[in-house]
Amino acid sequence: MPSFPSHRPRRLRRTAALRNLVRETHLAPSQLILPVFVREGKNLRRAVESMPGVNQTSVDEMLRDAEAAAKAKVGGIILFGVPDSKDAIGSSAWDENGAVQKGVQALKKEIPDLVAITDVCMCEYTDHGHCGVLKNGEVDNDATLKLLSRTALSHAAAGADIVAPSDMMDGRVRAIRCALDENDFAGVSILSYAAKYASAYYGPFREAAESAPKSGDRRGYQMDPGNADEALREVRADIDEGADAVMVKPAGPYLDVITRVKAETGYPVAAYQVSGEYAMICAAADRGWIDKDRVMMESLLGIRRAGADFIVSYFATDAARALASG
Ligand code: PBG
Ligand code: ZN
C-alpha cells in the first residue's frame, strides 16, 4: 500500500535536473521578434522615455541593434517607420526611400538570416494619426486598402520576408495578398494582426512611433476588449483571405484568446507583448518592486504556454541573452 498521500508532485521538483526533465513549455531565442523604430538620417539614436532601452534609430544604428539581436540568436525583427513628413493619406508609407524600405534593404544585405518583418499601417504616416484615410471624420475602410497594399508592396520590393498589417481594416489581407501575387511576390508571407484590441497598453508605443491619433480613438476599428468569440471570427476571416500566420495583441491580458486561436486553428500564432506590458515591468523593476529578469522570463514563458509559437517583445534581445546564459 502506498503511503498517504499517493501523489507527491513535489518529488519531481526537488532538483533543477528533475525540473528540467519534466518542463512542458520551452522558450527559445528563435521564437522572439525584436521591434525597432527607424527614422531617416544617420548616426541617430533617440531614447524613448517611456520604454527604457528602446530607441528611435536611423538605419545604420538600427543595424547595430539587429546585429546584437542576431548574435543572441533572436529569430526576427519587426520594423516600424517614423517618417519626417506626414500628410492626410500617409503617402510617405510607400516611399521606396523611406526608413523602413531602406532598413529592410540593409538588413537583407547585412544579416540575411534574421527574418525581416515590416509593420504595415498608416498611423505613423498620417498627419491625423489614424490607421487609415478619413472620410467625414471616420476611417474609410475600402479606400485604405489600396494604400495598405501599396505600402506592403514597397516593403516586399525592399526584401521583406513577412509583411504584417496592423491596421484592422476589413479585407486587408486579401487586398495585400492579391497585390503581392500580381507583382511577383508570391513568396512573401503575411502575418496578420488578426485579433488586435483597442488597448490602453499601447501608450508608450505611440510615443516611440509618434503615432497617437490627434482626435478620437481607435475603437471604431480595433477590437473591444470584452470579446473573444469575435477574435476567432477575425482570425478565421484573415486565414480565409490568405494570412500565413496570425497575431494576438496585446499578449498578457489576452492569454485566453491566444489559447483559443491556437487550439481552434492550428495556425502559426504570434503574440505581441506590447509597449505598456514592457513599460510596466521596467517601471516596477526600477523601483525595486520586482526582479526584472525573472518577471521578463515568466511573462514570456506564460505567453508561450498559452499557445503562442512566437512572441514580438521589446525584451527579445535581453531575453535571448538570458536564455543563453541559463
Ligand atoms: C499601429 C500599431 C500599434 C502597435 C503596433 N502597431 C499601436 C496602435 O494601434 O495604436 C502597438 C505596439 C505596442 O504598443 O508595443 N497600428
Ligand atoms: Zn496603425
Side-chain angles (χ1 to χ4, degrees), residues 294-320:
R294 290 190 57 199
V295 173
M296 165 178 82
M297 297 312 283
E298 188 175 333
S299 64
L300 293 168
L301 192 67
I303 296 164
R304 283 269 305 130
R305 193 192 62 246
D309 296 292
F310 60 101
I311 305 170
V312 181
S313 171
Y314 303 94
F315 286 124
T317 303
D318 286 349

mmCIF file of all heavy atoms in Angstrom, residues 294-320:
data_model
loop_
_atom_site.group_PDB
_atom_site.id
_atom_site.type_symbol
_atom_site.label_atom_id
_atom_site.label_comp_id
_atom_site.label_asym_id
_atom_site.label_seq_id
_atom_site.Cartn_x
_atom_site.Cartn_y
_atom_site.Cartn_z
ATOM 1 N N ARG A 294 13.543 37.973 -13.945
ATOM 2 C CA ARG A 294 12.642 36.843 -13.679
ATOM 3 C C ARG A 294 11.232 37.127 -14.185
ATOM 4 O O ARG A 294 10.580 36.241 -14.752
ATOM 5 C CB ARG A 294 12.634 36.514 -12.184
ATOM 6 C CG ARG A 294 13.975 35.902 -11.743
ATOM 7 C CD ARG A 294 13.897 35.362 -10.332
ATOM 8 N NE ARG A 294 12.833 34.383 -10.204
ATOM 9 C CZ ARG A 294 12.301 34.010 -9.041
ATOM 10 N NH1 ARG A 294 12.729 34.541 -7.919
ATOM 11 N NH2 ARG A 294 11.340 33.103 -9.014
ATOM 12 N N VAL A 295 10.764 38.359 -13.997
ATOM 13 C CA VAL A 295 9.419 38.679 -14.496
ATOM 14 C C VAL A 295 9.413 38.680 -16.031
ATOM 15 O O VAL A 295 8.463 38.215 -16.667
ATOM 16 C CB VAL A 295 8.924 40.030 -13.936
ATOM 17 C CG1 VAL A 295 7.610 40.445 -14.587
ATOM 18 C CG2 VAL A 295 8.743 39.929 -12.426
ATOM 19 N N MET A 296 10.494 39.171 -16.625
ATOM 20 C CA MET A 296 10.612 39.130 -18.089
ATOM 21 C C MET A 296 10.454 37.691 -18.593
ATOM 22 O O MET A 296 9.623 37.414 -19.471
ATOM 23 C CB MET A 296 11.995 39.680 -18.489
ATOM 24 C CG MET A 296 12.427 39.390 -19.905
ATOM 25 S SD MET A 296 14.045 40.128 -20.272
ATOM 26 C CE MET A 296 15.161 38.905 -19.584
ATOM 27 N N MET A 297 11.229 36.767 -18.004
ATOM 28 C CA MET A 297 11.181 35.388 -18.487
ATOM 29 C C MET A 297 9.833 34.734 -18.188
ATOM 30 O O MET A 297 9.299 33.998 -19.012
ATOM 31 C CB MET A 297 12.307 34.553 -17.849
ATOM 32 C CG MET A 297 13.710 35.020 -18.193
ATOM 33 S SD MET A 297 13.974 35.330 -19.956
ATOM 34 C CE MET A 297 14.140 33.679 -20.538
ATOM 35 N N GLU A 298 9.278 35.027 -17.023
ATOM 36 C CA GLU A 298 7.997 34.421 -16.663
ATOM 37 C C GLU A 298 6.873 34.930 -17.567
ATOM 38 O O GLU A 298 5.999 34.167 -17.985
ATOM 39 C CB GLU A 298 7.699 34.727 -15.186
ATOM 40 C CG GLU A 298 6.504 33.987 -14.641
ATOM 41 C CD GLU A 298 6.333 34.235 -13.138
ATOM 42 O OE1 GLU A 298 7.336 34.527 -12.439
ATOM 43 O OE2 GLU A 298 5.185 34.153 -12.669
ATOM 44 N N SER A 299 6.913 36.235 -17.889
ATOM 45 C CA SER A 299 5.863 36.783 -18.747
ATOM 46 C C SER A 299 5.944 36.151 -20.138
ATOM 47 O O SER A 299 4.923 35.815 -20.746
ATOM 48 C CB SER A 299 5.961 38.307 -18.824
ATOM 49 O OG SER A 299 7.166 38.724 -19.441
ATOM 50 N N LEU A 300 7.163 35.958 -20.648
ATOM 51 C CA LEU A 300 7.325 35.367 -21.987
ATOM 52 C C LEU A 300 6.950 33.887 -21.989
ATOM 53 O O LEU A 300 6.287 33.404 -22.909
ATOM 54 C CB LEU A 300 8.768 35.562 -22.470
ATOM 55 C CG LEU A 300 9.166 37.024 -22.747
ATOM 56 C CD1 LEU A 300 10.674 37.141 -22.934
ATOM 57 C CD2 LEU A 300 8.432 37.570 -23.968
ATOM 58 N N LEU A 301 7.361 33.191 -20.939
ATOM 59 C CA LEU A 301 7.025 31.766 -20.857
ATOM 60 C C LEU A 301 5.505 31.584 -20.771
ATOM 61 O O LEU A 301 4.939 30.669 -21.383
ATOM 62 C CB LEU A 301 7.713 31.134 -19.637
ATOM 63 C CG LEU A 301 7.691 29.610 -19.599
ATOM 64 C CD1 LEU A 301 8.534 29.022 -20.726
ATOM 65 C CD2 LEU A 301 8.185 29.092 -18.248
ATOM 66 N N GLY A 302 4.852 32.463 -20.034
ATOM 67 C CA GLY A 302 3.392 32.393 -19.908
ATOM 68 C C GLY A 302 2.705 32.562 -21.255
ATOM 69 O O GLY A 302 1.718 31.888 -21.550
ATOM 70 N N ILE A 303 3.240 33.445 -22.065
ATOM 71 C CA ILE A 303 2.664 33.687 -23.394
ATOM 72 C C ILE A 303 2.877 32.457 -24.281
ATOM 73 O O ILE A 303 1.993 32.040 -25.035
ATOM 74 C CB ILE A 303 3.287 34.958 -24.022
ATOM 75 C CG1 ILE A 303 2.914 36.194 -23.181
ATOM 76 C CG2 ILE A 303 2.841 35.135 -25.464
ATOM 77 C CD1 ILE A 303 3.759 37.431 -23.469
ATOM 78 N N ARG A 304 4.036 31.834 -24.158
ATOM 79 C CA ARG A 304 4.292 30.588 -24.898
ATOM 80 C C ARG A 304 3.377 29.474 -24.405
ATOM 81 O O ARG A 304 2.812 28.729 -25.189
ATOM 82 C CB ARG A 304 5.755 30.166 -24.706
ATOM 83 C CG ARG A 304 6.751 30.968 -25.531
ATOM 84 C CD ARG A 304 7.015 30.309 -26.898
ATOM 85 N NE ARG A 304 7.443 28.942 -26.730
ATOM 86 C CZ ARG A 304 6.916 27.906 -27.378
ATOM 87 N NH1 ARG A 304 5.965 28.078 -28.254
ATOM 88 N NH2 ARG A 304 7.381 26.678 -27.154
ATOM 89 N N ARG A 305 3.241 29.367 -23.078
ATOM 90 C CA ARG A 305 2.402 28.306 -22.505
ATOM 91 C C ARG A 305 0.954 28.455 -22.957
ATOM 92 O O ARG A 305 0.262 27.462 -23.199
ATOM 93 C CB ARG A 305 2.502 28.343 -20.972
ATOM 94 C CG ARG A 305 1.922 27.099 -20.274
ATOM 95 C CD ARG A 305 1.791 27.334 -18.775
ATOM 96 N NE ARG A 305 0.878 28.428 -18.515
ATOM 97 C CZ ARG A 305 1.214 29.605 -17.981
ATOM 98 N NH1 ARG A 305 2.441 29.842 -17.578
ATOM 99 N NH2 ARG A 305 0.308 30.564 -17.831
ATOM 100 N N ALA A 306 0.498 29.701 -23.119
ATOM 101 C CA ALA A 306 -0.869 29.936 -23.578
ATOM 102 C C ALA A 306 -1.062 29.401 -25.000
ATOM 103 O O ALA A 306 -2.175 29.084 -25.407
ATOM 104 C CB ALA A 306 -1.180 31.425 -23.529
ATOM 105 N N GLY A 307 0.032 29.315 -25.770
ATOM 106 C CA GLY A 307 -0.096 28.751 -27.116
ATOM 107 C C GLY A 307 0.582 29.527 -28.226
ATOM 108 O O GLY A 307 0.497 29.150 -29.395
ATOM 109 N N ALA A 308 1.266 30.628 -27.885
ATOM 110 C CA ALA A 308 1.928 31.401 -28.945
ATOM 111 C C ALA A 308 3.165 30.663 -29.435
ATOM 112 O O ALA A 308 3.955 30.161 -28.639
ATOM 113 C CB ALA A 308 2.324 32.784 -28.421
ATOM 114 N N ASP A 309 3.328 30.605 -30.746
ATOM 115 C CA ASP A 309 4.531 29.989 -31.323
ATOM 116 C C ASP A 309 5.704 30.952 -31.262
ATOM 117 O O ASP A 309 6.829 30.547 -31.031
ATOM 118 C CB ASP A 309 4.268 29.601 -32.777
ATOM 119 C CG ASP A 309 3.194 28.538 -32.883
ATOM 120 O OD1 ASP A 309 3.462 27.413 -32.448
ATOM 121 O OD2 ASP A 309 2.087 28.855 -33.351
ATOM 122 N N PHE A 310 5.421 32.216 -31.500
ATOM 123 C CA PHE A 310 6.489 33.210 -31.370
ATOM 124 C C PHE A 310 5.943 34.522 -30.816
ATOM 125 O O PHE A 310 4.737 34.756 -30.821
ATOM 126 C CB PHE A 310 7.267 33.385 -32.683
ATOM 127 C CG PHE A 310 6.494 33.837 -33.885
ATOM 128 C CD1 PHE A 310 6.537 35.152 -34.296
ATOM 129 C CD2 PHE A 310 5.742 32.927 -34.630
ATOM 130 C CE1 PHE A 310 5.840 35.568 -35.422
ATOM 131 C CE2 PHE A 310 5.044 33.336 -35.766
ATOM 132 C CZ PHE A 310 5.092 34.666 -36.155
ATOM 133 N N ILE A 311 6.859 35.315 -30.272
ATOM 134 C CA ILE A 311 6.458 36.486 -29.483
ATOM 135 C C ILE A 311 7.225 37.719 -29.948
ATOM 136 O O ILE A 311 8.449 37.697 -30.049
ATOM 137 C CB ILE A 311 6.757 36.265 -27.985
ATOM 138 C CG1 ILE A 311 6.101 34.974 -27.473
ATOM 139 C CG2 ILE A 311 6.287 37.465 -27.158
ATOM 140 C CD1 ILE A 311 6.543 34.567 -26.072
ATOM 141 N N VAL A 312 6.478 38.760 -30.244
ATOM 142 C CA VAL A 312 7.091 40.057 -30.515
ATOM 143 C C VAL A 312 7.258 40.746 -29.161
ATOM 144 O O VAL A 312 6.275 40.901 -28.424
ATOM 145 C CB VAL A 312 6.201 40.916 -31.435
ATOM 146 C CG1 VAL A 312 6.866 42.258 -31.715
ATOM 147 C CG2 VAL A 312 5.879 40.177 -32.728
ATOM 148 N N SER A 313 8.494 41.105 -28.819
ATOM 149 C CA SER A 313 8.722 41.687 -27.490
ATOM 150 C C SER A 313 9.937 42.608 -27.497
ATOM 151 O O SER A 313 10.958 42.297 -28.107
ATOM 152 C CB SER A 313 8.951 40.577 -26.459
ATOM 153 O OG SER A 313 9.374 41.125 -25.221
ATOM 154 N N TYR A 314 9.796 43.727 -26.769
ATOM 155 C CA TYR A 314 10.925 44.647 -26.611
ATOM 156 C C TYR A 314 12.023 44.018 -25.766
ATOM 157 O O TYR A 314 13.138 44.520 -25.714
ATOM 158 C CB TYR A 314 10.432 45.971 -26.004
ATOM 159 C CG TYR A 314 9.350 46.580 -26.875
ATOM 160 C CD1 TYR A 314 8.004 46.345 -26.623
ATOM 161 C CD2 TYR A 314 9.694 47.314 -28.011
ATOM 162 C CE1 TYR A 314 7.012 46.846 -27.458
ATOM 163 C CE2 TYR A 314 8.710 47.818 -28.857
ATOM 164 C CZ TYR A 314 7.371 47.581 -28.577
ATOM 165 O OH TYR A 314 6.395 48.058 -29.423
ATOM 166 N N PHE A 315 11.705 42.901 -25.112
ATOM 167 C CA PHE A 315 12.704 42.171 -24.330
ATOM 168 C C PHE A 315 13.491 41.185 -25.190
ATOM 169 O O PHE A 315 14.343 40.460 -24.662
ATOM 170 C CB PHE A 315 12.014 41.351 -23.224
ATOM 171 C CG PHE A 315 11.489 42.155 -22.071
ATOM 172 C CD1 PHE A 315 10.144 42.067 -21.716
ATOM 173 C CD2 PHE A 315 12.325 42.959 -21.316
ATOM 174 C CE1 PHE A 315 9.647 42.784 -20.636
ATOM 175 C CE2 PHE A 315 11.842 43.674 -20.230
ATOM 176 C CZ PHE A 315 10.491 43.592 -19.886
ATOM 177 N N ALA A 316 13.199 41.089 -26.482
ATOM 178 C CA ALA A 316 13.721 39.973 -27.292
ATOM 179 C C ALA A 316 15.222 39.739 -27.097
ATOM 180 O O ALA A 316 15.636 38.610 -26.779
ATOM 181 C CB ALA A 316 13.393 40.195 -28.771
ATOM 182 N N THR A 317 16.023 40.777 -27.255
ATOM 183 C CA THR A 317 17.475 40.555 -27.171
ATOM 184 C C THR A 317 17.897 40.208 -25.742
ATOM 185 O O THR A 317 18.687 39.276 -25.531
ATOM 186 C CB THR A 317 18.244 41.788 -27.687
ATOM 187 O OG1 THR A 317 17.813 42.054 -29.031
ATOM 188 C CG2 THR A 317 19.741 41.557 -27.677
ATOM 189 N N ASP A 318 17.364 40.932 -24.770
ATOM 190 C CA ASP A 318 17.695 40.660 -23.360
ATOM 191 C C ASP A 318 17.291 39.240 -22.977
ATOM 192 O O ASP A 318 18.048 38.528 -22.301
ATOM 193 C CB ASP A 318 16.942 41.621 -22.437
ATOM 194 C CG ASP A 318 17.524 43.028 -22.485
ATOM 195 O OD1 ASP A 318 18.621 43.193 -23.060
ATOM 196 O OD2 ASP A 318 16.869 43.946 -21.958
ATOM 197 N N ALA A 319 16.095 38.841 -23.385
ATOM 198 C CA ALA A 319 15.613 37.509 -23.028
ATOM 199 C C ALA A 319 16.447 36.431 -23.718
ATOM 200 O O ALA A 319 16.764 35.404 -23.118
ATOM 201 C CB ALA A 319 14.141 37.361 -23.394
ATOM 202 N N ALA A 320 16.817 36.675 -24.984
ATOM 203 C CA ALA A 320 17.634 35.695 -25.700
ATOM 204 C C ALA A 320 18.985 35.529 -25.015
ATOM 205 O O ALA A 320 19.500 34.417 -24.879
ATOM 206 C CB ALA A 320 17.819 36.131 -27.158
#
